[in-house]
Each structure stands twice: as structure tokens, then as C-alpha cells.
């Protein structure tokens, strides 16, 4: 992903000011563009490389490589959806605020994970609850 300098708020600048939102919009748009280009490269690669190898080992290797690429693209497709949702939150004024508590997520967390929807504390609580349910179900 294109490198962006961490946002430096001006003294007294409000959290999620227009400047701050524009910074994150640019990050998300660049990330989205990069992922879309990667999808295009994969499609072209798979079309170009698709061959009917007579050797079963060669065919198996190619199918394995394509499977790995497709799994990667599936993860990226899910990430694209999260990016779209983050861009929508910028539009509707909820970006940067925890979806569970309404608290500020914080600039440092958003710089590290621009699609974050939870504060670190809310994320930790969610992960702990998921672990407890998993542990209970495994008994």
C-alpha cells in the first residue's frame, strides 16, 4: 500500500475533523485501488497461465497455485468490503468511533488499521468472549 505519513493533528483540532477524515479517505481509496489492481493482475495471470498440462504433476502444481491465489483474492474481496464500509462511515459521520461504545477509536489505531470499527478495549472484550464460547463448545 502507498505509504502515508501518520496524521499530525493541529493544536486544538477536533477529533475526526474534515482534514483528518480526508487523510483517512485518501488512505482507504489508495488501498482500495491497489487491491482492485491486484484482482485484475490475478485474472490476467490465471487466463495467461491456464494450460492443460498433460503431466498430472504439472497440472496439480498449477491447480494448487491457482487455489492459493483464489484464497488470497477471497481475503482481499472481504477487505474491499470493509474498505467500502469504512468509506461509507466517513460519509455518514461515524468513522473513527467505536460501533459498540461510541468512543473515539483513536488516531494510532486507525493509522494501523484504517478499517477498524472498535476501540482496542472493545476488540479485546469481543475476542475474549469469542474465546470463552469456543472453549465452552469444545468441552
Amino acid at each position: 500500500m502507498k505509504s502515508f505519513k501518520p496524521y499530525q493533528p493541529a493544536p486544538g483540532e477536533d477529533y475526526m475533523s474534515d482534514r483528518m477524515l480526508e487523510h483517512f479517505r485518501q488512505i482507504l481509496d489508495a488501498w482500495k485501488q491497489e487491491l482492485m489492481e491486484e484482482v485484475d493482475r490475478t485474472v490476467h495471470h490465471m487466463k495467461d497461465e491456464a494450460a492443460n498440462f498433460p503431466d498430472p504433476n504439472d497440472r496439480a502444481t498449477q491447480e494448487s497455485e491457482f487455489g492459493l491465489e483464489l484464497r488470497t483474492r477471497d481475503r482481499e474481496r472481504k477487505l474491499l468490503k470493509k474498505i467500502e464500509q469504512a468509506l461509507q462511515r466517513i460519509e455518514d459521520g461515524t468513522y473513527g468511533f467505536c460501533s459498540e461504545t461510541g468512543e473515539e477509536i483513536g488516531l494510532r489505531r486507525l493509522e494501523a488499521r484504517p478499517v477498524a470499527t472498535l476501540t482496542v478495549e472493545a476488540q479485546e472484550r469481543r475476542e475474549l468472549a469469542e474465546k470463552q464460547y469456543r472453549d465452552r463448545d469444545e468441552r
Side-chain angles (χ1 to χ4, degrees), residues 12-89:
E13 182 177 358
D14 288 337
Y15 182 71
M16 289 300 130
S17 66
D18 289 344
R19 267 186 58 230
M20 205 176 291
L21 287 171
E22 184 57 30
H23 169 77
F24 287 106
R25 181 182 288 112
Q26 288 177 8
I27 289 172
L28 291 162
D29 282 338
W31 200 4
K32 178 181 171 183
Q33 182 64 37
E34 186 177 304
L35 289 171
M36 296 298 287
E37 289 169 4
E38 192 61 36
V39 167
D40 288 343
R41 275 193 293 277
T42 297
V43 169
H44 292 301
H45 170 74
M46 291 180 82
K47 282 181 182 176
D48 293 344
E49 296 297 316
N52 193 3
F53 292 110
D55 179 38
N57 291 327
D58 291 341
R59 195 167 42 250
T61 299
Q62 183 185 50
E63 288 175 10
S64 178
E65 288 172 1
F66 282 1
L68 182 60
E69 271 190 72
L70 290 172
R71 282 192 300 278
T72 301
R73 294 298 89 75
D74 188 52
R75 281 194 300 275
E76 289 173 347
R77 181 186 55 78
K78 291 173 184 171
L79 181 54
L80 277 167
K81 185 175 180 182
K82 288 181 180 183
I83 291 170
E84 286 292 337
Q85 291 168 342
L87 289 166
Q88 183 57 49
R89 287 193 303 278

Side-chain angles (χ1 to χ4, degrees), residues 116-130:
T117 59
L118 301 170
T119 61
V120 171
E121 295 80 12
Q123 182 68 39
E124 288 172 348
R125 280 193 305 273
R126 181 175 282 184
E127 289 171 4
L128 180 61
E130 287 172 1

